[in-house]
Amino acid sequence: MKTQPNTKIPNQTRKFIKSTILILIGMVAWAGTVRAQVAGPSRPNGASGTVSGTVIDSLTKKPVDYATVSVFKLGTSTPLTGGLTDVKGVFQISNVPAGEYRVQVDFIGYKRTEIPRVVLSAEHLDQNIGKIIISPTANLLKAVEITGQQALIENKIDKLVFNAEKDVTSSGGNVSDILRKVPMVSLDMDGNVALRGSQNVRILINGKPSGALTTNAADVLKSMPADQIKNIEVITSPSAKYDAEGSAGIINIITKKKTVSGVSGSISAGIGTRQNNENANLNFNKNKLSLSANVGYNTGWPQTTHSSFESQNSDLGTSSSSKGENTSKRHFLSATASLGYDFTDNDSFSSSFSRRGGVFQNTGTTVNSNFSPSQGTVNYTANTSSKNSFSNFDWNNDFTHKFKKEGEELSIAGQWTHGTADVDYTSEYSAFTQNQRATNVGTNNEYTVQTDYVLPVNKIFKIEAGAKTIIRKINSDYDFFNPDASGQYVLNTTTSNGYDYGQNVYSAYGLLTSTLGNGVTLLTGARVENTKITGSSGNTSSGLSPFKNDYVNFIPSLAISKALTPTQTIKLSYSKRIQRPSLQYLNPFRNTSDPLNQSQGNPELSPEIAQTLELNYSTFIKTAVINASVYYRRTNDIIESVVSTVPFSTVDNSGTIVTRDVSLTNFLNVGDNNSIGTSLFGSVQLFNILTLRGNINAFTYKPQIISSLQQGSQSTYIQYNGSLSGTVKVTKTLNVESFVMQNSARRTFQGTNPSFNLWVIGVKQEIMKKRGSLGLNVTQPFKDYKDFTTNINSGPLTQRSTFSVPFRSFGFSFTYNFGKMNFGAQAPKKKRGVTNDDLKQEESNNGRG
């Protein structure tokens, strides 16, 4: 029976909302006072001025963000001051004394551009140079002829960008295939995503959350064709304007969307031995109206995996083992439509609707054995079949108003996310326990409203502030059926359960950007989040008590960057992040679908709190790029799975009650972790035809485990992930690329999760005057199956699980672009909108409540 939610607002929440409103009012009032003060007074003699302008790409006619601008006194070779362009290509360099100067603009892959003489006089201390046009280097022009060519990987001041549409080996694959090639990102055998070794990462699509990613991110990423993706952004130190969730950072997946005027689009198809993809994209842009639509289909050929499992408990003298195989097939469909309209030059509205759905089907057989000193050995065979289907939609609406002051704007956004996940399975056993059928129907509704305000106070300071509310309502109904005396399946009211879960997050933030002299930029911010969680069981006989958990988190952020020279930048940042456990971690109902390996959530979990300090250095020398980081991360209350041996009583098919020792996986705040890490990325172009790229990320794992869990390890372990790739431009239209990667085994306090490596070869031939392309991809050409092993060594308990998964594949792909062409098209115009960056995801591809 479901409990009714309590709609009365507690005193703590009322106080929080009241204080948040007062903070926002105070910030806006202070900003208005400062703006009035800086607008009026005249400057005294000897005061300094500003040099400003906009940097534009000569080919694409688009702004160039994060270009380095240096100001030199005439006749000198050392810069007096400088800065970086923002996302609109604009720069404003303050505190420049009166005098005569030379302005120099540098950007990787582009020719150095100079403005030979800029004069600041007492009468004209502020000089706006206007548009500064920069052109690609001769080597870059030779490679791309008349079109602008992005690098495969770009390092920007606040993020790393992987331009997937430039990746030769991605054609015909899915998003998981792309993510494996992104620096600092790794995926395990199930497709769960980790950033710098941590799976506490938030994944967004076009800067917005997706309901599908909330419940089963690994499955959804496998369902999205790679041909839909433009680029992937990696943000390791998000500022306070981002939701505080995701202790490792944020991964933002940007889909393709052309912004050229008129009608344009593309179609693509891929067929291979592992999966097939079809994708179509259509865009219309004219005057104030823009429309776009995209549809994609992904299906996989039936694949058979092999598994084995061994478990021993030396204290109890018990053991279990199993061997089996499973055949799976899948298909997915996704569609997106969006509309944008500019009412005036200052008021715009956009709306988008996306839907994703898919089906997994599995059939398998395992041969099992369970031994205990008191009961002896029982051998049995299990035959299972399951169907897992999901469907989600996201509806976003954004309104933006720009004020007369350049850069000042107010935006209001709302989102409704709705998702369903249905699991139906049947398990039949020759012994040990009863045959069973089960259905799990999960429903998720999420409502979000947020507002953001940006105010450039003057040429030095910019203020950003905002508030947000997220309301989540999740329901999970689990019905179990067992056969009666006649063999008919009937509902088991004792083991069936319904669970209602609610999570409300109220937040507000403030951010101050200071563009100081000498190429220094300072970003300071703070965010406050109030979280309210409730959960209740619909089965009163289960003995599961309702629970609730309320907490408030203060999240500061700080980043300071310095342009050392026109080609070198250094950045120091501090961020604090939280990781809230989602329903899969909290649901206390025990999942017995695999009687030897059961699982159960823990409603008493606290959120993880992570603090990260990072130092980053980047430089480019001619055609070479180097980006290096060192970081320290302190995580409190880390959440990990804990495996133990427990007695389990069941009824076998003859009606006899049987008690056996089985494995139970629970989730606990096991302690704290201190991690020191380093990331290094580099790329270089050789002989005008060869580009080499390398990436490595190494970090330590040193848990401080709570006293009640001393059976785990507390040593210091080094983990890593790295990749190496090379692209050869054989002709003007033919590219060949190879990619290899290696991830070390991932440590937990009880053992290790599998390591992973991969080799991919790709060939891409452009045809039809670059309107189309043909591709060939080969993955793991010399080995059909890959083996993944998980080990647990925790006191008396030892376990070993091995999965063999088919990975070798050969695939062909075709892409055709129609309408107005723009090979140098930029990413979609950035709009403010809903960006829910929260919820720790379960480390599996089957995350259901």
Side-chain angles (χ1 to χ4, degrees), residues 51-55 69 85-86 88-93 127-132:
V51 176
S52 60
T54 305
V55 178
V69 182
T85 59
D86 62 16
K88 297 180 180 179
V90 175
F91 65 90
Q92 292 179 333
I93 302 173
Q127 288 289 351
N128 189 328
I129 301 174
K131 294 182 179 180
I132 302 176

Side-chain angles (χ1 to χ4, degrees), residues 261-538:
S261 180
V263 178
S264 62
S266 64
I267 56 173
S268 63
I271 184 170
T273 59
R274 186 161 59 98
Q275 61 186 346
N276 306 307
N277 294 314
E278 294 81 33
N279 187 67
N281 182 63
L282 182 65
N283 305 277
F284 173 80
N285 293 277
K286 186 173 183 180
N287 300 327
K288 298 181 178 182
L289 178 66
S290 64
L291 300 170
S292 68
N294 182 283
V295 61
Y297 180 74
N298 173 280
T299 184
W301 299 106
Q303 295 182 335
T304 299
T305 60
H306 304 277
S307 63
S308 65
F309 170 77
E310 295 178 350
S311 177
Q312 296 87 31
N313 190 305
S314 58
D315 284 352
L316 300 176
T318 58
S319 64
S320 298
S321 65
S322 67
K323 287 187 177 181
E325 66 176 35
N326 181 79
T327 300
S328 63
K329 54 183 179 180
R330 69 181 194 271
H331 64 268
F332 306 94
L333 180 67
S334 62
T336 302
S338 63
L339 175 149
Y341 187 77
D342 297 330
F343 296 103
T344 67
D345 291 339
N346 296 323
D347 297 298
S348 62
F349 171 78
S350 65
S351 181
S352 65
F353 184 89
S354 61
R355 181 157 191 156
R356 297 177 178 86
V359 175
F360 279 93
Q361 290 181 295
N362 297 275
T363 57
T365 299
T366 58
V367 178
N368 308 271
S369 178
N370 181 271
F371 170 78
S372 69
S374 60
Q375 298 286 335
T377 301
V378 58
N379 298 312
Y380 66 97
T381 300
N383 296 306
T384 61
S385 63
S386 66
K387 181 179 180 181
N388 181 342
S389 59
F390 68 91
S391 177
N392 298 270
F393 71 75
D394 304 303
W395 184 24
N396 290 274
N397 293 278
D398 308 310
F399 173 78
T400 301
H401 173 73
K402 298 180 180 179
F403 296 88
K404 292 182 179 180
K405 182 178 179 64
E406 178 69 21
E408 183 182 4
E409 67 178 43
L410 174 69
S411 62
I412 300 173
Q415 175 178 280
W416 175 26
T417 292
H418 174 78
T420 59
D422 298 339
V423 179
D424 297 284
Y425 75 84
T426 300
S427 298
E428 297 180 340
Y429 306 95
S430 61
F432 186 72
T433 189
Q434 279 184 300
N435 296 339
Q436 61 178 262
R437 290 180 181 174
T439 62
N440 179 204
V441 179
T443 304
N444 173 43
N445 280 289
E446 183 174 302
Y447 311 93
T448 305
V449 177
Q450 73 179 67
T451 181
D452 299 274
Y453 176 67
V454 181
L455 172 65
V457 180
N458 53 30
K459 296 180 179 180
I460 299 177
F461 299 109
K462 180 176 72 172
I463 291 176
E464 298 177 68
K468 183 176 185 177
T469 296
I470 306 173
I471 307 295
R472 291 188 176 95
K473 301 296 181 185
I474 301 176
N475 172 259
S476 180
D477 289 324
Y478 228 131
D479 290 334
F480 276 92
F481 301 85
N482 297 113
D484 59 13
S486 65
Q488 297 295 317
Y489 281 91
V490 295
L491 180 67
N492 187 327
T493 57
T494 301
T495 58
S496 298
N497 188 38
Y499 207 78
D500 290 329
Y501 173 78
Q503 184 190 89
N504 299 343
V505 182
Y506 310 97
S507 60
Y509 74 90
L511 198 65
L512 176 65
T513 303
S514 307
T515 306
L516 308 177
N518 299 318
V520 176
T521 301
L522 179 65
L523 187 67
T524 57
R527 186 180 189 93
V528 179
E529 293 192 350
N530 176 217
T531 305
K532 298 176 62 62
I533 297 175
T534 60
S536 62
S537 171

